[in-house]
């Protein structure tokens, strides 16, 4: 979401002082009306990394959406789209029979994916099953046919993993600061553009809650509480994704920014 120029405050883009500390890439480069895909971001990220490499400088790729890290380090498979009817049928079956009833089916079609997908990760389970059933080819086979942008051994991954209570408190405090610093005015300007609500920027955490307030359907306090709640939920999903998908990445568990940066520098040596 930090790609989009329209949401500097609500996406917590680096401020002017932070931008002066080191060159930053792909922050605020896209218009909200121009929805970027993972594939488009990957091409832009590869170009930025190549530019940084020419200066023989280390690059730090930051963010919270694990799919983007996976695209960078594992590549992006050209998987055919699956008709909505197929996914709806599987969702209905999962609702009726439960995840455990579908796992044996996936194990027959794609044992590698079944072994990799954590218990309770219903979304990834249904995705793998939908691809295998619709294309006749395992998802793991599609993914194996990709070329990562970063070769193995050229990069190191690390997860900032502070205590849950501290993380949630930081989320709440940041939303309060955003509301005080102009997030409502920022969303009002975005809403005035009457963009397609399906665009990624329109789905940024906090946009819906603030629009409800601007339209008189919620108080400012209710909008703030709702945005805080959705931010905490997003943070929880991040923690779950990185726990399941990157168990071998080292964790930095403290809350002090200087200590976090010191630990990161040590890992980069």
């Amino acid at each position: 979401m930090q790609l989009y120029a329209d949401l500097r405050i609500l996406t917590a883009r680096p401020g002017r002082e932070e931008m002066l500390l080191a060159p930053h890439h792909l922050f605020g480069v896209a218009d909200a009306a121009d929805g970027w895909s993972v594939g488009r971001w990957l091409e832009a990220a590869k170009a930025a990394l190549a530019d940084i490499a020419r200066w023989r400088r280390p690059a730090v790729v930051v963010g919270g959406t694990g799919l983007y890290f996976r695209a960078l380090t594992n590549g992006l498979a050209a998987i055919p789209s699956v008709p909505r009817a197929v996914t709806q049928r599987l969702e209905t079956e999962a609702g009726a029979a439960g995840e455990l009833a579908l796992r044996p089916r996936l194990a027959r079609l794609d044992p590698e994916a079944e072994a990799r997908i954590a218990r309770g990760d219903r979304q990834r389970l249904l995705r793998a099953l939908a691809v295998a059933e619709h294309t006749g080819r395992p998802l793991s086979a599609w993914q194996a046919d990709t070329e990562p942008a970063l070769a193995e051994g050229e990069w190191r991954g690390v997860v900032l993993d502070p205590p849950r209570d501290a993380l949630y408190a930081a989320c709440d405090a940041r939303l309060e600061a955003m509301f005080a610093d102009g997030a409502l005015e920022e969303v009002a300007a975005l809403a005035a553009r009457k963009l397609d609500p399906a665009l990624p920027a329109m789905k940024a955490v906090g946009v819906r809650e603030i629009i409800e307030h601007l339209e008189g359907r919620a108080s400012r306090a209710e909008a703030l509480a709702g945005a805080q709640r959705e931010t905490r939920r997003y943070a929880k999903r991040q923690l779950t994704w990185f726990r399941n998908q990157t168990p071998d990445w080292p964790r930095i568990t403290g809350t002090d920014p200087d200590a976090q940066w010191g630990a990161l520098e040590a890992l980069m040596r």
Side-chain angles (χ1 to χ4, degrees):
M1 292 297 176
Q2 291 177 323
L3 283 167
Y4 298 107
D6 303 68
L7 295 175
R8 180 184 64 82
I9 298 170
L10 199 61
T11 64
R13 281 215 315 266
R16 183 175 181 275
E17 294 77 12
E18 293 169 308
M19 297 285 280
L20 292 173
L21 293 175
H24 286 63
H25 302 261
L26 301 185
F27 288 91
V29 298
D31 186 82
D34 187 13
W36 278 42
S37 64
V38 178
R40 185 173 177 183
W41 174 86
L42 181 60
E43 292 305 310
K46 289 193 290 188
L49 289 168
D51 182 56
I52 295 169
R54 282 194 289 271
W55 292 93
R56 299 184 182 278
R57 298 288 300 274
V60 181
V61 182
V62 300
T65 305
L67 177 61
Y68 286 67
F69 287 114
R70 179 168 291 280
L72 195 61
T73 58
N74 290 23
L76 196 62
I79 303 170
S81 61
V82 177
R84 178 60 183 155
V86 175
T87 59
Q88 285 179 330
R89 173 176 56 80
L90 290 173
E91 288 169 358
T92 300
E93 292 179 22
E99 172 194 334
L100 294 179
L102 297 183
R103 277 194 172 272
R105 213 155 97 198
L106 180 60
R108 290 192 300 272
L109 296 171
D110 191 348
E112 183 178 335
E114 194 280 329
R116 184 176 66 241
I117 296 172
R119 301 293 175 185
D121 194 343
R122 172 173 157 160
Q123 182 176 349
R124 295 184 65 239
L125 178 72
L126 293 179
R127 167 64 173 162
L129 191 55
V131 169
E133 290 193 351
H134 177 65
T135 68
R137 187 184 188 203
L139 176 63
S140 55
W142 287 104
Q143 292 172 335
D145 283 346
T146 61
E147 186 72 24
L150 298 177
E152 187 175 352
E154 290 185 349
W155 59 274
R156 294 180 182 178
V158 61
V159 178
L160 296 180
D161 192 12
R164 185 74 60 93
D165 290 346
L167 175 62
Y168 287 173
C171 289
D172 287 349
R174 189 169 75 173
L175 260 298
E176 288 185 7
M178 287 174 174
F179 271 52
D181 292 344
L184 276 67
E185 292 79 7
E186 185 175 71
V187 173
L190 178 64
R193 299 184 62 188
K194 305 295 184 182
L195 299 177
D196 184 345
L199 284 166
M202 300 303 294
K203 297 180 180 180
V205 175
V207 168
R208 177 177 58 83
E209 291 78 11
I210 292 176
I211 288 178
E212 288 179 352
H213 166 60
L214 296 173
E215 294 179 346
R217 292 182 285 125
S219 67
R220 184 184 186 280
E222 289 170 335
L224 174 58
Q228 289 173 324
R229 181 178 62 252
E230 291 305 311
T231 299
R232 294 193 301 271
R233 287 175 175 172
Y234 179 64
K236 183 178 180 180
R237 292 196 298 271
Q238 288 177 310
L239 294 174
T240 300
W241 196 96
F242 282 104
R243 182 174 63 248
N244 291 335
Q245 302 300 315
T246 62
D248 55 332
W249 288 19
R251 265 57 180 168
I252 296 177
T253 58
T255 58
D256 178 71
D258 291 334
Q260 288 178 334
W261 183 248
L264 180 60
E265 286 184 313
L267 289 168
M268 290 175 61
R269 292 194 187 105

